[in-house]
Amino acid sequence: MEFSKDYTVKDEHIDVQGIMDGLYYPFYMEWCRHDFIREVLGFDLEEQAHKGVFMVLSQYTIKYLRSLKKGDQFTVTCTLYGDKAGQPRLHFKQTIIMNGKVMTSAVFTGTCIPAAGGRPYLPEAISSLIAEAPKLEFEGIK
């Protein structure tokens, strides 16, 4: 199940070299991922936080292939994967694509934790969706 959103590079994200600062690529991916989590998984991060359920990242890897420039229009994709080892983790493969070329690729891994502290887990509603998702074979990017 692939999800995507379109964006335009914001002027304030451009560095002195005239390209988008590497810091901002994960932000665009986060915006897309959060929309995916809300719109597709039905998990509203703010609402769940008020209920004491925090969805957090545990790691990510990112590979920069090409630079974006001021005003570039691009698409961010997000695809959900379950955990091969059966751990309570969500894996999101994401790419930034412009003109049919992958500019950046990444894998973000997350889980849920109780706000009061405790062990990682996935709420039942998410666990049932993960059960049907493909399993991530490689925890990184190729």
Side-chain angles (χ1 to χ4, degrees):
M1 91 180 68
E2 185 174 277
F3 179 84
S4 65
K5 290 276 185 166
D6 296 324
Y7 300 93
T8 301
V9 174
K10 295 181 179 185
D11 292 353
E12 61 268 23
H13 296 166
I14 300 302
D15 67 15
V16 297
Q17 301 173 92
I19 59 176
M20 188 163 82
D21 188 302
L23 169 71
Y24 293 104
Y25 292 77
F27 281 111
Y28 286 98
M29 290 176 165
E30 176 184 58
W31 299 331
C32 178
R33 190 172 59 255
H34 283 189
D35 285 346
F36 172 82
I37 290 167
R38 185 182 63 255
E39 295 173 25
V40 177
L41 299 183
F43 187 94
D44 185 291
L45 293 163
E46 185 175 351
E47 179 183 304
Q48 292 298 319
H50 290 298
K51 292 179 180 179
V53 180
F54 292 168
M55 185 178 281
V56 297
L57 287 178
S58 57
Q59 69 180 21
Y60 73 90
T61 56
I62 191 165
K63 185 174 184 180
Y64 299 95
L65 302 167
R66 297 173 179 85
S67 297
L68 291 168
K69 297 179 177 85
K70 181 179 176 178
D72 280 348
Q73 295 180 346
F74 59 94
T75 300
V76 179
T77 67
C78 184
T79 305
L80 176 68
Y81 288 82
D83 191 72
K84 181 180 173 185
Q87 296 297 312
R89 297 186 291 198
L90 303 158
H91 302 283
F92 301 94
K93 278 191 176 181
Q94 294 193 256
T95 57
I96 292 178
I97 300 169
M98 187 177 77
N99 298 327
K101 293 182 180 177
V102 175
M103 308 299 280
T104 307
S105 59
V107 174
F108 291 82
T109 299
T111 191
C112 292
I113 57 170
R119 300 193 56 80
Y121 74 101
L122 293 177
E124 181 56 40
I126 291 180
S127 292
S128 62
L129 292 171
I130 292 294
E132 299 173 21
K135 305 302 179 230
L136 185 66
E137 292 296 322
F138 174 71
E139 289 190 33
I141 49 179
K142 293 180 180 179

